[in-house]
Amino acid sequence: MVERVIIDTDPGVDDLAAIYLALASPELRVEALTTVYGNIEVETATHNALSLLELAGRTDIPVYRGASKPLIRQPYFAKHIHGNNGFGGVEAPSPTVSEAKEFAAMEIVRRCNEAPNEITILALGPVTNVALALSIDPSLAEKVKRIIVMGGAVRVAGNYSPVASFNLASDPEAARVMYESGAPIVQVGLDVCTKVRISQENLERIRVTNTRPGAFLLEAAEFRRKAYIAAKQSSETETGVYFNDVPAVAYALWPELFEVQSAFVSIETAGERTAGQTVVEFTGQWGHSEHNTSILMDVDGESVAKRFAERISTLETQYVGPYK
């Protein structure tokens, strides 16, 4: 059965990789992209969403612009990881279609109401659009099939602070709205994202097919790879790259590759240094016996990486020439 999805995104090199995985997978039907600030400003994110669809020959998929900032905080961008344009400085072709006119949150509400329990939201960036949609229509929590959110950290350190992941720390209040909404949530946190390394062998599988989407992804990924080495202050040469959003799409495709544990998750909003932390209760001893989240705790990272490379290589027929 094909799963209908809306991808809420802030492209972003890893968003680019995840969206291309979704587009290359017949198990998923991408019905819309909704954009949000995060890795870059929402204006750039929207342009990037249109451009990546252009490269993949999927301009039939509408793009809806969303939130430009968190609910109550100031935005923080990750240009040191994704470059000023979100794609590592690599220039994508100008899109030939324009963004749709509706606001992202309103479009999420409309589509989920028209197809109750049929649409999955893949939240790959800060969850401000999702929180706004749930605030506009709280019954959305009962109408969305599930929300697969890339964010959180249970057993590993955060990538925004020692305890919080970037996407949830970008808008902790929005994350709290989402987790407390009653919607079915799957948390794809750094616990599994850090275990899915796309090796040079798998990158080469993409390279030899010489498609426009694959060539563009590989060039953009080089900036991200070097940025991670610099951030770790390491002199070692990395033998692959990590696309943190890819496991979120991979779970929708191949849940058998993941270890899942249910728990109650709350989001810290008041801490000066802990805002955005996913506070997890597995046992219920702290008063929350009803679990609200399915947490991905482990993954067969090698299988995900191999299947990712295989799918990306089929995204377009053989293309000879520059990706532009």
Side-chain angles (χ1 to χ4, degrees):
M1 183 178 294
V2 176
E3 184 164 9
R4 302 170 65 180
V5 299
I6 295 172
I7 301 180
D8 193 58
T9 178
D10 57 337
V13 180
D14 50 349
D15 301 75
L16 171 67
I19 292 167
Y20 277 172
L21 174 59
L23 295 180
S25 299
E27 302 93 332
L28 302 179
R29 188 169 85 191
V30 180
E31 304 209 342
L33 301 185
T34 53
T35 62
V36 66
Y37 71 92
N39 293 322
I40 39 33
E41 296 89 347
V42 71
E43 295 81 6
T44 306
T46 304
H47 178 273
N48 288 355
L50 293 166
S51 293
L52 68 87
L53 291 174
E54 186 85 28
L55 276 169
R58 292 302 308 274
T59 55
D60 57 302
I61 298 173
V63 175
Y64 300 88
R65 185 184 300 207
S68 62
K69 62 182 290 295
L71 294 180
I72 63 173
R73 300 174 186 242
Q74 292 302 309
Y76 173 85
F77 305 113
K79 296 180 181 181
H80 61 297
I81 298 296
H82 298 270
N84 288 333
N85 76 339
F87 288 153
V90 183
E91 292 298 329
S94 298
T96 58
V97 298
S98 301
E99 65 188 83
K101 298 302 181 183
E102 185 60 88
F103 291 112
M106 293 299 296
E107 189 62 18
I108 291 171
V109 170
R110 183 184 72 81
R111 288 177 179 263
C112 290
N113 272 280
E114 289 183 353
N117 303 119
E118 293 185 17
I119 293 179
T120 291
I121 298 173
L122 282 167
L124 305 183
V127 296
T128 311
N129 288 336
V130 179
L132 287 170
L134 287 163
S135 299
I136 293 167
D137 181 3
S139 72
L140 186 70
E142 300 172 357
K143 296 171 182 174
V144 66
K145 181 178 180 180
R146 56 181 175 170
I147 301 171
I148 301 177
V149 57
M150 190 275 119
V154 178
R155 294 175 176 167
V156 300
N159 59 359
Y160 178 88
S161 73
V163 296
S165 66
F166 175 83
N167 282 349
L168 301 188
S170 292
D171 195 346
E173 288 74 21
R176 172 171 280 191
V177 168
M178 183 184 71
Y179 276 87
E180 293 182 354
S181 69
I185 294 172
V186 179
Q187 177 175 300
V188 187
L190 299 176
D191 305 273
V192 293
C193 297
T194 55
K195 295 182 179 180
V196 180
R197 179 178 63 88
I198 314 301
S199 67
Q200 288 293 344
E201 179 183 0
N202 284 314
L203 293 174
E204 187 61 25
R205 288 177 178 172
I206 299 172
R207 193 182 312 278
V208 296
T209 59
N210 196 31
T211 66
R212 284 189 302 174
F216 183 78
L217 173 61
L218 292 178
E219 187 165 354
E222 184 62 15
F223 182 95
R224 180 180 173 85
R225 185 185 70 83
K226 292 178 179 178
Y228 264 80
I229 294 174
K232 296 174 183 177
Q233 298 182 337
S234 171
S235 60
E236 298 179 5
T237 301
E238 290 283 353
T239 57
V241 66
Y242 295 86
F243 299 123
N244 285 345
D245 289 330
V246 163
V249 176
Y251 177 75
L253 295 170
W254 312 300
E256 70 276 5
L257 298 181
F258 294 83
E259 176 187 312
V260 185
Q261 190 169 352
S262 66
F264 181 86
V265 177
S266 55
I267 305 297
E268 173 61 45
T269 58
E272 182 178 346
R273 301 188 65 185
T274 59
Q277 179 181 9
T278 45
V279 182
V280 180
E281 301 178 40
F282 289 108
T283 64
Q285 70 182 91
W286 304 108
H288 296 98
S289 57
E290 293 187 7
H291 294 171
N292 63 351
T293 306
S294 298
I295 303 176
L296 305 192
M297 301 298 293
D298 205 355
V299 61
D300 180 350
E302 290 187 8
S303 292
V304 169
K306 181 179 179 181
R307 294 184 188 187
F308 166 78
E310 291 172 347
R311 289 290 174 92
I312 295 299
S313 298
T314 66
L315 187 56
E316 188 189 63
T317 56
Q318 184 78 7
Y319 179 81
V320 179
Y323 62 81
K324 296 179 182 178

